[in-house]
Amino acid sequence: MTDIVNNWTRDLRYKPYSEWDIDYKNALSKSVENSKWRTGYHIEPKTGLLNDPNGFSFFNGKWQLFFQYYPFGAVHGLKSWYHLESKDLIHWEENGIALQSDNNYDSHGVYSGSAYPIDEDKLFLFYTGNVRDKDWNRYSFQNGAFMYKDGTIHKFPKPLINQPNETTDHFRDPQIFCYQDQLYMIIGAQKQSDKKGGIFLYKALENDIKNWTLVSELAFSDQELGFMIECPNLIFIEEVPVLLFCPQGISKRIQSYENIYPNMYTVGEAFDPVKAAITKTTNLQNLDEGFDVYATQAFNAPDGRALAISWIGLPEINYPTDKEGYQGLLSLVKELTLQDGKLKQYPVKETIKLREIENSFYESFDAKTNRFELEVSVPANEIVKILLFSNVDKTRYLAFTLDSVNGKVSVDREYAGQRFAQEYGFQREAYVSKNTEIKVNIFADTSVFECFVNEGERVITGRVFPDESQTFIYLHSKRNLSGTIWRLNNQKR
């Protein structure tokens, strides 16, 4: 019997896809299929590693989505883009690998990027090509391709943008967007001058996606933004600019966070493309107060909504599914809105299609399977504790404390199942207004939870890895509060 790889060398990570034999691929598929932690309605890889969502867009009458992918194990290796399509943002059709390393400008990986429909016939794919020489020096190229209505893809023969003198080889993740009928692109970078993180703004001359010119570094904060910025996204909500990005190594004095790297955002007053600036920005905020969200990709959809989807996983973290040959999944699709100048995130309205059976309960409920949405409202001046993923004797569980006295939602996953990333702690907290009602909607799916506080005022997301006995829900309150639970269907059917 063929064993799956657990000791990964560089040569194995960058072994051409064509050289992996069928016996290994079958053994890997079998290992993943047998995992007790496979989800029902979240996107995850058939095998191997899923990380950044890419190319989120609308084209040919369908929602288009890609993710960075390595098929042969739960490691970062020779990356490609995997393609999905949907008519409703909930049920996704898998179309397989779309972009793969096959030329001199992406020889060591098709890295992250974005997409933009050029016309009815072509979707423009904008991505970073990762290249290494024999001494393992890195070269970064920003490449283009067209995807046509029949799904075929044609890569451009040469890069659209080479690494500028202003950055190191850490120069990646182009996001294309349209502002006032002009195409722009922002890209994450490490600046050459001080080895600090930055974002650079480019403009498409005469709106030609093959002709880009550097405007300048994007000005939006006076703070030092760590050693590298990944996955920048600039969207507009009722014309207000919202910048999402991942500042690796940013000081926790600027904004507290507990994960290895944070996913943050800032809201500005206006975007000035001439000066390459977002003016009067808010303090940096965590996009998600939980354990495992990174590399969120957002775009302004043609129906007027600002939509986002996140990688539920983190760089440089090992997860319990690694030994089974897979890792990572994507969040539910969220709509981004602004309320009183603050960003809110909540699953798109289409998510209600997942609901099947509704139950109300008071103190306890056996969900039978951890695939549900739970809604609980806590009145002002009350403290309520919820145990999810619990066994019957309450020795294993994921604990939520909803404290409307102090305006705090706390999550503790220390006893939720197999432990991992312990050096980054087991608890997380999110704050809302004191002495007012707190409402939570928690989406559970076998080995992941997404908690939306006050319809997206705060979001807390994380992975958990329980055993098969942990299907109970317990609700403890002085006022004998009830909860509503919906069993959710399997979007992969």
Side-chain angles (χ1 to χ4, degrees), residues 244-265:
L244 288 63
F245 62 107
C246 298
Q248 294 185 323
I250 190 172
S251 171
K252 295 181 181 180
R253 294 190 300 273
I254 297 173
Q255 170 61 40
S256 177
Y257 65 94
E258 297 182 67
N259 297 336
I260 181 173
Y261 302 127
N263 202 160
M264 293 183 169
Y265 76 91

Side-chain angles (χ1 to χ4, degrees), residues 160-176:
L160 300 177
I161 299 172
N162 293 319
Q163 177 188 318
N165 295 329
E166 292 88 344
T167 77
T168 71
D169 57 358
H170 292 286
F171 179 68
R172 56 183 175 268
D173 310 338
Q175 186 234 351
I176 183 173

Side-chain angles (χ1 to χ4, degrees), residues 164-168 190-197 200 217:
N165 295 329
E166 292 88 344
T167 77
T168 71
Q190 180 184 73
K191 293 180 286 185
Q192 186 68 257
S193 58
D194 57 8
K195 304 301 186 289
K196 301 296 184 182
F200 286 78
E217 181 183 353

Side-chain angles (χ1 to χ4, degrees), residues 5 46 55 60 84 102 120 209 245 338 354 417 428 440 447 456:
V5 176
K46 289 183 178 296
N60 194 27
L84 307 102
D102 58 12
E120 292 183 357
I209 51 92
F245 62 107
L338 289 173
L354 291 172
R428 297 290 188 269
V440 296
S447 60

